[in-house]
Amino acid sequence: MTSSSALPTSFASLDLSPLVSYGWDDAWADEFAPHHSEGLVAGRVIRVDRGQCDVATADGVIRADTAFVTPHDPMRVVCTGDWVAVEPSGHPRYVRAYLPRRTAFVRSTSSKRSEGQILAANVDHAVVAVSLAVELDLGRVERFLALAWESGAQPVVVLTKADLVPDPVTLGHLVQDVETSAPGVPVLTVSSETGEGLDVLEAVLAGGTAVLLGQSGAGKSTLANALLGADVMEVQATRDMDGKGRHTTTTRNLLVLPGGGVLIDTPGLRGVGLWDAETGVGQVFAEIEAFAADCRFQDCAHVAEPGCAVLEALDSGALPERRLDSYRKLIRENQRIVAKTDARVRAEIRRDWKRKGAEGRAAMEAKRGRW
């Protein structure tokens, strides 16, 4: 990889240090170099609304229009977390391009065409906030995790409002239930009211970009405020009757954390549809995939086939029936989405994300080693 120090002097001499706190590194500098030669300015999108966006640049936050990079494909619109090339002046100023994404958190839209909708780009950690004020919905947690794994980010489950479960034994059982549904995923308990667990979460998120996901009422905005150390995000009280919250956050906002790293807060998501998340589903249900490897038939559907290792695990009690039901549901849903979308385009986008993700992770590790 070419270091930014090897770029043309006119580019290397620019003071882009203010962008480091937003995640700027040598790999992004390499990607941006051709745009600099065209006289464009580098920046990161911190908010998008109504065809315009706020962009953090080395000289401060500017407002820019996205008309030049807003195609009909909702997968290719500018979104929060994108690194972009912006015109140096003008009114309005226009975003001329966005840099290739390392990762992207995508869900299916509610349209009958089953299009993908990007919620956040260039994310290292996908934080799934789950409220302990209401009964755990493990199926929904698994759905979020499937999308998180598929995005290329590392999922983290944060059980919020831990102060509402004072009994440590009960809290331990709840954590264990989530851990069983989230193999390979850290599960943290946090209370924004008391500060419990915040230091651990801050350490996990430092140095990268995290997107905060969850239903309305999960305590996302309160958690964001606690991490930021200030009441940046408006907070509305949860309804007393059912524990459900209102849509406090209405846009996706990228915010710099005082302990390092950046956080993208998102509106509460009522609908979390899969969008070509076969790999993500497989990672969420890793134990089922492991059992399936021992099935007699390679294309076993795990329904009534002889020699099905998954059904044997179910009969023996090694596999909970709820997990298998949830797995089947998400697999069926994902197959429907895949059947309705363009496989070639999906494969092309995924290959690009994986390549950029590998390069980005290498750049981040190198940066951490220097610091």
Side-chain angles (χ1 to χ4, degrees):
M1 180 183 300
T2 304
S3 170
S4 60
S5 61
L7 296 173
T9 304
S10 58
F11 182 76
S13 62
L14 291 176
D15 181 13
L16 297 176
S17 58
L19 291 179
V20 172
S21 61
Y22 288 93
W24 182 262
D25 57 32
D26 286 356
W28 289 124
D30 290 343
E31 291 285 358
F32 184 75
H35 300 292
H36 170 70
S37 66
E38 298 174 357
L40 300 176
V41 175
R44 193 168 195 189
V45 177
I46 61 177
R47 176 188 172 100
V48 179
D49 59 274
R50 297 185 181 136
Q52 294 190 315
C53 61
D54 293 336
V55 181
T57 72
D59 296 323
V61 176
I62 63 170
R63 188 74 166 165
D65 196 298
T66 65
F68 281 101
V69 284
T70 306
H72 295 298
D73 183 355
M75 289 290 292
R76 301 183 185 277
V77 299
V78 171
C79 73
T80 303
D82 270 328
W83 285 96
V84 294
V86 188
E87 293 177 341
S89 61
H91 184 75
R93 295 170 73 168
Y94 287 95
V95 174
R96 287 293 178 172
Y98 62 80
L99 304 187
R101 292 160 175 155
R102 293 176 181 173
T103 62
F105 189 91
V106 183
R107 67 169 176 175
S108 66
T109 65
S110 58
S111 72
K112 295 181 180 179
R113 291 181 294 176
S114 300
E115 296 173 324
Q117 177 192 22
I118 292 186
L119 300 182
N122 303 312
V123 172
D124 301 298
H125 289 94
V127 180
V128 180
V130 181
S131 174
L132 290 175
V134 295
E135 184 177 355
L136 288 176
D137 185 344
L138 297 177
R140 182 168 287 271
V141 173
E142 290 160 347
R143 178 178 292 271
F144 271 113
L145 290 176
L147 292 172
W149 278 122
E150 192 67 33
S151 75
Q154 166 66 52
V156 180
V157 176
V158 174
L159 302 180
T160 65
K161 308 181 184 182
D163 54 291
L164 299 182
V165 188
D167 178 23
V169 175
T170 301
L171 183 60
H173 286 315
L174 293 172
V175 171
Q176 187 175 21
D177 287 344
V178 176
E179 287 177 336
T180 301
S181 302
V185 177
V187 178
L188 310 178
T189 57
V190 169
S191 170
S192 299
E193 294 296 322
T194 67
E196 174 192 348
L198 284 175
D199 55 340
V200 177
L201 180 57
E202 287 170 352
V204 170
L205 303 186
T209 297
V211 60
L212 189 54
L213 308 162
Q215 288 182 284
S216 297
K220 297 189 305 301
S221 293
T222 303
L223 179 59
N225 284 336
L227 291 170
L228 292 162
D231 291 335
V232 176
M233 309 305 296
E234 180 187 359
V235 177
Q236 297 181 9
T238 302
R239 298 201 300 265
D240 293 333
M241 292 297 291
D242 57 9
K244 294 180 181 178
R246 303 165 186 165
H247 283 295
T248 301
T249 305
T250 57
T251 60
R252 288 171 281 280
N253 303 278
L254 186 148
L255 306 157
V256 177
L257 296 172
V262 294
L263 180 70
I264 300 175
D265 192 19
T266 65
L269 300 175
R270 290 194 178 95
V272 194
L274 300 184
W275 189 82
D276 191 18
E278 180 181 358
T279 301
V281 172
Q283 287 181 275
V284 174
F285 297 93
E287 81 279 26
I288 296 180
E289 297 277 305
F291 289 132
D294 294 327
C295 289
R296 181 184 302 176
F297 302 109
Q298 188 173 4
D299 60 347
C300 184
H302 320 308
V303 177
E305 296 85 350
C308 175
V310 173
L311 295 181
E312 291 173 3
L314 183 67
D315 292 339
S316 69
L319 175 63
E321 186 172 2
R322 189 205 67 78
R323 285 281 284 173
L324 182 57
D325 288 343
S326 183
Y327 173 76
R328 286 169 171 165
K329 179 180 179 181
L330 294 184
I331 286 291
R332 286 195 301 268
E333 177 182 332
N334 193 66
Q335 288 172 340
R336 288 195 298 271
I337 292 295
V338 169
K340 294 179 181 179
T341 55
D342 188 322
R344 182 186 58 79
V345 173
R346 290 195 321 272
E348 178 185 327
I349 292 172
R350 184 183 291 110
R351 281 195 301 271
D352 187 54
W353 287 347
K354 287 185 177 179
R355 180 174 64 84
K356 293 302 177 184
E359 293 175 356
R361 284 189 292 273
M364 180 176 289
E365 290 302 319
K367 182 171 66 175
R368 286 175 173 171
R370 290 196 301 273
W371 293 353

